[in-house]
């Protein structure tokens, strides 16, 4: 399931886009202002970002400009009522991949999102079969895990969860992101299944080792660092 972040200060428009995309099986998070959006985009993992150009705090072009200093891979689409050629050129020069003028047909938005995600996927290098961080190693082919040369036996779910952490080291992962990417389910705020499995994994890869790798950010999620 692809995760899309939307920065849009118009609550009605943001809600409509979010609902429409979720009906097409996208995971969507919306942010009402530029500063909040940029912080989330820098700290969390998104497959695609949609930015309204005119927003309080920080406009979409400035968000894109700052984001591109640290992340050149995530596709970025700008949405705006400013539709002149000069406006489009200015937006693309900030590092955006696409520019869609308001008002727009939702079908066109879907088509452009699909095209950006296909382009991103085709440009991604083949995933490594072995992942490592500090003294922990995971082999995707043999389904084995070692820490400091010691074999660690994990259940299938624990293995998938560890793989997710290893592919996102030093990044804060929300419970919703973990649920959707390790379990491919919508996050139910009424359950603690994510916390339970993270604790299972932590007991196996951290217990008995001086350096702890999985850390809790209270109220926010987990990070491997």
């Amino acid at each position: 399931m692809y995760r899309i972040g939307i920065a849009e200060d118009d609550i009605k428009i943001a809600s409509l886009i979010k609902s429409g995309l979720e009906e097409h099986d996208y995971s969507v998070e919306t942010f009402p202002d530029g500063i909040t959006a940029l912080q989330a985009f820098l700290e969390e993992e998104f497959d695609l970002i949609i930015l309204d150009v005119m927003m309080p705090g920080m406009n979409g072009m400035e968000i894109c400009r700052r984001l591109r200093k640290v992340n050149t891979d995530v596709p970025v689409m700008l949405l705006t009522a400013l539709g002149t050629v000069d406006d489009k050129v200015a937006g693309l020069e900030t590092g955006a991949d696409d520019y869609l003028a308001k008002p727009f047909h939702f079908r066109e938005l879907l088509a452009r999102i699909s095209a950006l995600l296909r382009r991103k996927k085709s440009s991604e290098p083949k995933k490594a079969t072995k992942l490592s961080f500090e003294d922990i190693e995971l082999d995707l082919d043999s389904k084995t895990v070692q820490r400091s040369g010691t074999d660690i036996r994990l259940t299938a779910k624990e293995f998938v969860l560890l793989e997710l952490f290893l592919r996102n080291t030093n990044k804060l992962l929300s419970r919703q992101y973990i649920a959707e990417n390790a379990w491919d389910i919508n996050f139910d705020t009424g359950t603690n299944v994510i916390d339970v499995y993270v604790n299972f994994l932590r007991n196996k890869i951290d217990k008995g080792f001086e350096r702890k790798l999985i850390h809790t950010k209270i109220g926010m999620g987990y990070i491997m660092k």
Side-chain angles (χ1 to χ4, degrees):
M1 180 181 289
Y2 288 111
R3 188 183 188 212
I4 297 177
I6 300 175
E8 169 63 72
D9 64 309
D10 188 315
I11 297 177
K12 183 177 180 181
I13 293 177
S15 179
L16 288 173
I17 295 176
K18 176 179 171 69
S19 297
L21 292 179
E22 288 179 339
E23 289 179 3
H24 288 79
D25 297 324
Y26 291 108
S27 170
V28 181
E29 289 192 44
T30 60
F31 304 92
D33 65 85
I35 295 175
T36 302
L38 178 61
Q39 182 177 357
F41 298 153
L42 292 175
E43 294 179 351
E44 301 178 36
E45 190 80 11
F46 290 89
D47 296 297
L48 184 142
I49 290 171
I50 298 174
L51 304 172
D52 180 37
V53 171
M54 305 300 292
M55 282 189 298
M58 183 183 300
N59 65 51
M61 290 189 184
E62 183 60 24
I63 293 175
C64 187
R65 189 177 292 108
R66 296 193 185 193
L67 181 63
R68 283 299 184 232
K69 291 180 179 180
V70 295
N71 188 334
T72 60
D73 297 325
V74 63
V76 175
M77 179 188 296
L78 295 177
L79 298 180
T80 181
L82 305 175
T84 69
V85 172
D86 287 343
D87 292 324
K88 293 180 181 179
V89 170
L92 295 173
E93 286 181 344
T94 66
D97 300 280
D98 202 356
Y99 192 110
L100 185 58
K102 299 176 182 179
F104 53 83
H105 291 286
F106 188 73
R107 286 176 57 194
E108 181 179 6
L109 177 64
L110 278 176
R112 290 182 181 230
I113 288 173
S114 181
L116 288 173
L117 290 173
R118 283 198 307 271
R119 189 188 312 166
K120 177 178 183 289
K121 187 175 182 180
S122 65
S123 66
E124 289 178 345
K126 185 177 180 181
K127 288 186 176 181
T129 58
K130 293 185 179 181
L131 303 174
S132 63
F133 180 71
E134 294 291 334
D135 57 347
I136 192 165
E137 296 182 355
L138 178 148
D139 190 314
L140 291 166
D141 290 334
S142 62
K143 302 298 182 185
T144 57
V145 175
Q146 288 189 335
R147 181 159 187 193
S148 293
T150 300
D151 290 329
I152 298 175
R153 297 184 63 179
L154 301 180
T155 65
K157 286 298 184 187
E158 291 166 353
F159 187 90
V160 171
L161 182 58
L162 178 59
E163 179 187 351
L164 183 66
F165 276 119
L166 289 173
R167 292 193 184 280
N168 296 276
T169 55
N170 296 308
K171 294 181 181 178
L172 178 64
L173 304 184
S174 67
R175 290 171 177 79
Q176 178 174 341
Y177 183 78
I178 293 172
E180 293 171 353
N181 288 272
W183 273 264
D184 195 24
I185 59 172
N186 290 322
F187 181 57
D188 180 0
T189 56
T191 179
N192 66 340
V193 63
I194 303 302
D195 306 280
V196 169
Y197 270 94
V198 170
N199 284 330
F200 285 162
L201 179 62
R202 179 185 276 145
N203 284 335
K204 291 186 177 181
I205 69 167
D206 277 346
K207 191 174 182 179
F209 294 92
E210 183 177 354
R211 180 176 296 178
K212 309 306 179 184
L213 298 181
I214 298 178
H215 303 269
T216 303
K217 293 287 186 179
I218 298 175
M220 300 174 70
Y222 297 94
I223 184 171
M224 175 171 275
K225 64 178 183 178

